[in-house]
Amino acid sequence: MTTSTDITLPRGLLIGGDLVTRSSGGMHDHIYPATGRPNATIPLAGATEIDQAVDAAWTAHREWMTFTPARRRDLLVALADAVHENLPEFAQLNTLDYAVPVSYAATAPLLEEFIRHFAGYVDKPHGSSTPVSGSFDVNLIEREPYGVVGVIAPWNGSLVVSASCVVPALAAGNAVVLKPSELAPFAALRFGELCVRVGLPAGLVNVLPAGAEGGDALVRHPGVRKVHFTGGTDTARTVLRAAATNLTPVVAELGGKSANIVFGDADLDIAAAISGHQGPLMQAGQSCACASRVLVQSSVYDAFLDKFVATVATATIGDPLDPTVSYGPVISESAANRILRDIDDAVTQGAGELVLGGKRIGGALSDGYYIEPTVFTGVDNSSALAQTETFGPVVAVIRFDTEEEAIRIANDTRYGLNAFVHSNDLSRAHRVARTLEAGSVWVNHFSDISPQGPYGGYKQSGFGRTGGLEGLQEFLQVKNIRIAMR
Ligand code: TXE
């Protein structure tokens, strides 16, 4: 079924600039979700390799700090150029990682953009000075790198996390140990190889695919001074308990159950297109930026629903390596079974009316983990369907009458990652955006993250930010230096 590709899959652990294939974490058959069959066998890092990588990172950090800001900046620009030259390969590696359609090749250009943006910070002022009240002493407020940062990436965003976490950490002067998910090792390893190829100090970026064991070893390592975790809320709790070992600070980018609010004065064609993309279609609903609750004002409920369902129903489903395909499988057999259980439960519990999808896709796609894009309407926001993160191609359409009701429903969730507002009344859109408990609000726009804008969650969607000045400062610690002037 799948289109063949002549890409050589990188496999191994990138430690201190060397790709090693021996590991204490065992070997893992990487299953390609579009076929349900292995496309590689990869070594997983255990505590031994994590320890080696942290040592290599400290050596590289010290070397990195001997480079002038101009030299660090120029090396990052060279890295951006190398990513640019490899964009087609990154698109295919992303697909071979987790079967995201190659047509959705947005993450490698984003990586290039983040590198170019944060390279520009390297030779800009990070600190300041201040007078002190009782003397004429010199008081400097400096921002210094942590040294070695541990970055843990989810399977659905290794390049996004490389862009939004690894790159700012490097620009701030740190070395990084990046642990991509065992379910998506390839694109991250290629990124690490490019870091070596362009001349970054060996060990400045270490890439160690691993599962929970390697991740836990990274979080607990005393040589790791800050952890950036991106993943699910339950895993975050485990990570925070482990980080308590050394009181290591953590940034947590977690899940969501985002609301997508369509007001009566919205452009319904644009709202339907954005809502379809952000709902069940983008990465088959497997993105934290997905909006799985679609709130629609009564005055346009039927008209919008017709457009929305038509948009979702016309997704081109098939081989992710086929550039004409826009919708692929979910990540694993277990994820497919979990999502189908959620759908069955929603039907059994009468959470709403199943108007589209709801089943596994068979035929030529039966070996892969394909689930039909699924839409429930008339959903009650108190139902499990509306309150639990499905992390799959399932959306709940919820009707509302007034602006106040829309805000109440949107905020009635334990999460707070994204929110979407569709209205041509920008006073209303701005007023509503200010009341929504979410770290990112998108008005008449899809979730197009940029290096300039900070991204992160409210409530149980996490804390800390990636991107923007806020994202850079996550990788800098503040030191106050006071010099007596006699
Ligand atoms: O998460 P998991 P997944 C969220 C998304 C969903 C989840 C799916 O909403 O909830 O991530 O991604 C490693 N100690 N986001 O299934 O299982 C694991 O190997 C240390 C939000 O990957 O939590 C993987 O590398 N590490 C996000 C990573 O943790 C451990 C964007 C995440 O795994 C570990 C994308 C342990 N004990 C997805 N156990 C956003 N907000 O931007 C596992 N891991």
Side-chain angles (χ1 to χ4, degrees):
M1 183 275 285
T2 57
T3 312
S4 67
T5 166
D6 54 1
I7 289 271
T8 304
L9 291 175
R11 54 199 92 177
L13 309 174
L14 187 69
I15 302 175
D18 297 324
L19 195 63
V20 300
T21 54
R22 69 191 179 288
S23 74
S24 63
M27 299 303 283
H28 170 75
D29 283 338
H30 178 271
I31 303 297
Y32 181 48
T35 62
R37 290 189 294 274
N39 59 1
T41 300
I42 60 169
L44 297 183
T48 305
E49 293 75 31
I50 293 288
D51 192 48
Q52 291 164 354
V54 173
D55 282 350
W58 273 107
T59 303
H61 160 66
R62 293 185 186 102
E63 182 183 357
W64 188 231
M65 295 315 287
T66 66
F67 289 14
T68 62
R71 188 176 173 202
R72 281 184 268 140
R73 174 202 63 206
D74 293 347
L75 281 167
L76 289 177
V77 170
L79 179 60
D81 293 342
V83 169
H84 183 80
E85 287 155 22
N86 287 274
L87 288 179
E89 183 181 33
F90 271 118
Q92 296 221 348
L93 287 172
N94 245 355
T95 299
L96 294 168
D97 261 330
Y98 62 102
V100 61
V102 74
S103 60
Y104 179 69
T107 52
L110 189 76
L111 173 59
E112 179 190 349
E113 182 58 31
F114 267 75
I115 299 171
R116 294 194 190 284
H117 177 81
F118 283 101
Y121 272 120
V122 173
D123 58 354
K124 303 296 183 294
H126 290 328
S128 59
S129 67
T130 174
V132 290
S133 51
S135 79
F136 296 100
D137 289 353
V138 170
N139 197 99
L140 306 176
I141 301 163
E142 306 229 326
R143 292 182 181 274
E144 298 179 341
Y146 282 90
V148 171
V149 169
V151 176
I152 297 173
W155 54 262
N156 71 334
S158 69
L159 287 186
V160 174
V161 167
S162 298
S164 61
C165 303
V166 175
V167 169
L170 298 178
N174 300 282
V176 176
V177 178
L178 168 63
K179 191 211 74 66
S181 169
E182 66 279 26
L183 303 180
F186 306 127
L189 277 168
R190 178 66 82 244
F191 171 63
E193 288 174 342
L194 290 185
C195 290
V196 177
R197 193 184 305 169
V198 301
L200 295 183
L204 194 71
V205 176
N206 303 275
V207 183
L208 289 84
E213 179 199 347
D216 185 67
L218 182 62
V219 173
R220 292 177 188 275
H221 198 293
V224 172
R225 299 291 168 79
K226 180 136 192 189
V227 168
H228 196 293
F229 171 77
T230 302
T233 308
D234 290 344
T235 312
R237 291 188 178 93
T238 306
V239 166
L240 289 171
R241 282 192 290 272
T245 308
N246 302 302
L247 299 178
T248 307
V250 177
V251 175
E253 285 268 340
L254 307 181
K257 195 69 184 182
S258 301
N260 176 85
I261 307 171
V262 182
F263 284 102
D265 57 11
D267 179 318
L268 297 186
D269 290 322
I270 294 175
I274 292 176
S275 305
H277 175 72
Q278 296 294 152
L281 299 183
M282 177 169 71
Q283 299 197 151
Q286 301 170 113
S287 165
C288 61
C290 283
S292 48
R293 292 185 298 150
V294 183
L295 282 55
V296 187
Q297 195 155 29
S298 296
S299 56
V300 295
Y301 189 81
D302 294 335
F304 171 79
L305 213 47
D306 289 346
K307 295 175 183 292
F308 176 65
V309 171
T311 300
V312 174
T314 54
T316 47
I317 302 173
D319 174 4
L321 285 168
D322 176 344
T324 65
V325 163
S326 65
Y327 182 91
V330 297
I331 185 66
S332 65
E333 185 74 32
S334 60
N337 293 333
R338 170 179 52 76
I339 295 162
L340 290 168
R341 264 196 318 276
D342 285 357
I343 292 170
D344 292 346
D345 289 350
V347 171
T348 310
Q349 293 157 11
E353 184 188 356
L354 177 59
V355 297
L356 187 73
K359 294 191 297 299
R360 181 106 179 221
I361 301 174
L365 301 177
S366 55
D367 290 342
Y369 312 128
Y370 288 82
I371 293 178
E372 295 172 331
T374 299
V375 177
F376 283 87
T377 59
V379 176
D380 185 309
N381 195 55
S382 63
S383 64
L385 176 66
Q387 290 295 320
T388 308
E389 181 185 47
T390 306
F391 213 59
V394 183
V395 293
V397 180
I398 300 169
R399 179 198 290 261
F400 70 89
D401 291 320
T402 65
E403 184 178 304
E404 292 67 24
E405 186 185 7
I407 293 166
R408 181 184 54 75
I409 294 171
N411 287 335
D412 180 13
T413 170
R414 62 180 175 274
Y415 295 106
L417 195 57
N418 296 281
F420 299 80
V421 178
H422 302 274
S423 169
N424 281 324
D425 174 348
L426 292 188
S427 293
R428 178 214 292 272
H430 195 228
R431 182 173 62 242
V432 170
R434 281 198 157 150
T435 64
L436 295 172
E437 296 171 336
S440 291
V441 180
W442 311 86
V443 175
N444 301 328
H445 206 292
F446 60 95
S447 60
D448 178 18
I449 63 170
S450 69
Q452 292 83 4
Y455 185 82
Y458 280 27
K459 302 194 284 187
Q460 293 193 28
S461 287
F463 38 81
R465 289 295 180 266
T466 57
L469 202 48
E470 296 80 3
L472 179 76
Q473 287 169 352
E474 294 287 4
F475 297 109
L476 290 164
Q477 44 189 346
V478 180
K479 176 181 285 179
N480 193 74
I481 300 173
R482 177 163 167 174
I483 304 169
M485 302 305 286
R486 304 209 191 291

